[in-house]
Amino acid sequence: MHKILSAVFLAPEIKRFEVEAPKIALKRKPGQFVIIRIDDEGERIPLTIADSDASKGTVTIIVQGIGKTTKQLNALGAGEFISDVVGPLGRPSHIENFGTAISIGGGVGAAIAYPTAVALKEAGNHTISIIGGRSRDFVILEDEMRRACDEVFVTTDDGSYGRRGFVTGQLKELIATRRIDFVLAVGPIPMMSAVADVTRDIGIPTVVSLNPVMIDGTGMCGGCRATVGARTVFVCVEGPEFNAHEVDFSTLDRRNKTYWVQERQALAEHRCHLEDALTEKLQETR
Ligand code: NAD
Ligand code: FES
């Protein structure tokens, strides 16, 4: 069992947890992830390690409550427990001094881009971060990125904060005005695909972090298959980071929607249980 030491909402449905996991905290490197189960019956969910503190024996994970399990997880608070936290899994980010490196985090993807941005800075890069959100409320980790990077640009789709538009607008502007040697992009699939389209023809090495359906996380089940450079890869052991210019994003998007109907059903049933529990509670207090 892993105790939750702190649990704080960063944005609507996006919560940061600090969880006891001393062995993982000692070993983990930027880009790696854990698979967690809330309880013995629970679904396994992969979550990138946003940060860690080896002296406290904790890892930080940032969770977007979109399905039944992530919503259940986001209902937990400090002092409660998560049954399993397995990791660190996956290959660490490839870090070197590229020169000028841009780290792009779209929505909750900023949580994954953050540890790699820190490592890129430590490796001597001039590090630029672009953080994008639907609106001001969905921009996360801006203060952390400002502490870690040389420059930070914020974009919002509705223009409520920072530059109006997608992260790709800001990226194009930066590329037009200076030499960029490396780009990391993490976020929704259409975003990562759009970033790859911007950098492909001008030949800027670009890496994306993929989040396909995962089950075991150890290369056994094949659930996390993706197509990269016409090769089938198992993202959990060969990734999660890949050359963006070689990723087949449309197949990845299709595969990620395989269990969409079941996920909707599970979420609807979960809501019914919550409503029943709430009605019962209200009746008890009357
Ligand atoms: P979102 O849809 O709010 O988008 C976040 C930002 O991405 C936008 O503000 C915009 O700047 C950019 N963006 C979105 N669509 C774009 C497009 N077509 N072109 C250019 N830029 C675009 O993001 P969200 O709701 O936080 O993310 C949800 C999705 O991200 C989920 O589907 C989730 O599975 C995925 N996700 C991916 C990873 C990963 O490792 N790649 C990690 C966590 C979540
Ligand atoms: Fe099973 Fe990757 S999650 S092989």
Side-chain angles (χ1 to χ4, degrees):
M1 296 294 265
H2 299 262
K3 190 171 184 183
I4 299 170
L5 297 191
S6 71
V8 182
F9 275 105
L10 301 179
E13 302 284 3
I14 299 178
K15 200 166 184 178
R16 170 164 51 197
F17 293 91
E18 208 185 353
V19 183
E20 273 180 351
K23 288 185 184 160
I24 301 174
L26 266 182
K27 283 180 68 180
R28 79 97 196 179
K29 293 201 165 65
Q32 290 186 297
F33 64 95
V34 289
I35 288 193
I36 70 150
R37 274 197 319 168
I38 296 177
D39 53 42
D40 289 348
E41 311 273 293
E43 178 195 5
R44 294 170 162 91
I45 45 171
L47 292 164
T48 297
I49 305 167
D51 210 345
S52 62
D53 185 332
S55 62
K56 277 167 77 184
T58 58
V59 293
T60 301
I61 49 177
I62 296 182
V63 183
Q64 185 178 35
I66 36 178
K68 176 188 167 225
T69 306
T70 47
K71 280 184 186 288
Q72 273 179 318
L73 182 56
N74 278 2
L76 298 178
E80 295 188 274
F81 290 86
I82 295 171
S83 173
D84 305 323
V85 181
V86 176
L89 298 169
R91 289 190 184 163
S93 306
H94 170 78
I95 303 293
E96 62 175 73
N97 190 348
F98 296 98
T100 298
I102 302 186
S103 158
I104 306 175
V108 74
I112 297 148
Y114 170 68
T116 305
V118 173
L120 286 167
K121 176 67 190 158
E122 283 169 3
N125 289 281
H126 179 81
T127 310
I128 301 171
S129 165
I130 306 174
I131 315 171
R134 267 170 264 163
S135 65
R136 187 182 189 122
D137 287 349
F138 291 89
V139 173
I140 64 166
L141 301 186
E142 184 186 349
D143 291 346
E144 288 81 352
M145 284 292 202
R146 286 198 186 281
R147 280 194 291 273
C149 300
D150 297 292
E151 296 174 72
V152 175
F153 297 88
V154 177
T155 65
T156 50
D157 304 2
D158 65 359
S160 53
Y161 185 49
R163 179 196 166 107
R164 178 191 287 269
F166 287 166
V167 287
T168 36
Q170 185 64 63
L171 175 66
K172 282 180 194 163
E173 193 177 300
L174 285 167
I175 288 173
T177 52
R178 58 178 108 171
R179 182 193 159 97
I180 305 297
D181 301 295
F182 175 77
V183 172
L184 164 79
V186 194
I189 291 171
M191 183 208 100
M192 295 191 290
S193 175
V195 169
D197 288 344
V198 170
T199 60
R200 183 179 291 107
D201 289 346
I202 35 178
I204 300 175
T206 303
V207 163
V208 287
S209 178
L210 306 185
N211 73 328
V213 172
M214 282 194 195
I215 303 166
D216 64 313
T218 61
M220 303 289 282
C221 72
C224 64
R225 286 192 312 283
T227 309
V228 179
R231 200 168 70 83
T232 298
V233 297
F234 286 4
V235 172
C236 67
V237 286
E238 295 174 69
E241 292 179 6
F242 293 95
N243 179 348
H245 301 147
E246 294 189 341
V247 173
D248 177 346
F249 288 104
S250 56
T251 305
L252 180 69
D253 195 33
R254 241 188 355 263
R255 282 186 56 81
N256 272 10
K257 289 176 180 151
T258 308
Y259 300 108
W260 196 83
V261 173
Q262 288 87 340
E263 279 168 19
R264 292 286 104 190
Q265 268 166 0
L267 187 59
E269 281 163 23
H270 175 62
R271 285 213 179 100
C272 289
H273 290 316
L274 275 179
E275 275 165 23
D276 289 350
L278 202 63
T279 313
E280 220 171 274
K281 203 95 204 134
L282 282 172
Q283 278 164 353
E284 277 169 22
T285 54
R286 275 193 191 127

